[in-house]
C-alpha cells in the first residue's frame, strides 16, 4: 500500500517536472501548423506525450525558484552584451590589417544543474564572437571558441564573461545552494 502511494507520488512529481516540456512541445506543434485551435492543441498534446514516452530524455530538474528581478537583470545584461558584441565583431570584420588571434577557452562552471548549464551555454552561443564547442556535463565544463582572445588577458576576460552569465542565470532560476555558491 505504501509502495503504491510512493510510486503514485513519484509519478506525479515526474509529471510536474515534465509539464514545461509538454507545454513547450504543444506550443511548438501549434506554431509549426500555424494554427491555434482546440484540435491542434489536443493533437499537439497527444504528439507531445508520445514523443516524451518514445524518445526518453533524462528529466531536467527545475529548482522551483524564479526571481523576477534577477531575470530582468539577466535579460538587460544579455541585451547589452548582444549589442556591444555585435559592434565589436562588426568592427573586427571591417578593420583592415592583421587578423585577431582566436582562442579555445575552458570554463569550469559552478553549477551541476543541467537546466542552468543549458541556459548558460545557449546564452553564450547567442552572443556574437563566442561559440560553445563542447559541453562536459559530468565535470561542468564548457569549451568556448572566442574571437580576438589570443592573449592571456583575452582568455581570462572570456572566462569571466561566461562565469558572469552563469551567475546571472543562477540568481534568476538557480537553486538556493547555487545562489550561495555564486555569492561566495
Amino acid at each position: 500500500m505504501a509502495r503504491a502511494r510512493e510510486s503514485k507520488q513519484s509519478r506525479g512529481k515526474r509529471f510536474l517536472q515534465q509539464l514545461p516540456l509538454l507545454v513547450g512541445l504543444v506550443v511548438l506543434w501549434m506554431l509549426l501548423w500555424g494554427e491555434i485551435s482546440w484540435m491542434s492543441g489536443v493533437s499537439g498534446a497527444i504528439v507531445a506525450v508520445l514523443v516524451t514516452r518514445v524518445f526518453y530524455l533524462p528529466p531536467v530538474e527545475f529548482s522551483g525558484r524564479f526571481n523576477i528581478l534577477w531575470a530582468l537583470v539577466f535579460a538587460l545584461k544579455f541585451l547589452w552584451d548582444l549589442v556591444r558584441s555585435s559592434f565589436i565583431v562588426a568592427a573586427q570584420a571591417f578593420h583592415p590589417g592583421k587578423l585577431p588571434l582566436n582562442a579555445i577557452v575552458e570554463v569550469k562552471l559552478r553549477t551541476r544543474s543541467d537546466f542552468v548549464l543549458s541556459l548558460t551555454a545557449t546564452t553564450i552561443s547567442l552572443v556574437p564572437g563566442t561559440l560553445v564547442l563542447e559541453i562536459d556535463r559530468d565535470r561542468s565544463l564548457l569549451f568556448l571558441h572566442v574571437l580576438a582572445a589570443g592573449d592571456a588577458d583575452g582568455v581570462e576576460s572570456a572566462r569571466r564573461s561566461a562565469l558572469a552569465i552563469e551567475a546571472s542565470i543562477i540568481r534568476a532560476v538557480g537553486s538556493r545552494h547555487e545562489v550561495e555558491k555564486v555569492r561566495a
Side-chain angles (χ1 to χ4, degrees), residues 10 12 14 17 31 40 44 50 65 67 83 93 95 97 99 110 112 116 122 147 158 160 171 175 177 179:
S10 67
R14 268 187 284 143
Q17 286 176 340
L31 289 172
S40 66
L50 284 173
R65 197 186 141 276
N67 186 313
V83 170
H95 183 70
L99 295 174
R110 294 163 286 215
R112 299 293 298 164
V116 173
T122 302
L147 292 178
R160 278 192 311 272
R171 287 183 183 111
S175 68
H177 175 70
V179 171

Side-chain angles (χ1 to χ4, degrees), residues 44-117:
I46 292 169
V47 170
V49 169
L50 284 173
V51 164
T52 57
R53 296 293 173 242
V54 173
F55 302 106
Y56 174 75
L57 295 171
V60 175
E61 294 187 22
F62 179 62
S63 70
R65 197 186 141 276
F66 180 75
N67 186 313
I68 189 75
L69 178 64
W70 281 111
L72 183 62
V73 168
F74 164 73
L76 291 173
K77 183 180 178 342
F78 171 68
L79 287 173
W80 169 251
D81 286 346
L82 196 64
V83 170
R84 183 179 55 85
S85 296
S86 295
F87 280 110
I88 291 170
V89 170
Q92 289 172 352
F94 291 110
H95 183 70
K98 71 175 191 169
L99 295 174
L101 295 174
N102 304 321
I104 306 295
V105 180
E106 177 184 317
V107 180
K108 173 73 173 135
L109 299 178
R110 294 163 286 215
T111 187
R112 299 293 298 164
S113 164
D114 288 339
F115 183 64
V116 173
L117 184 83

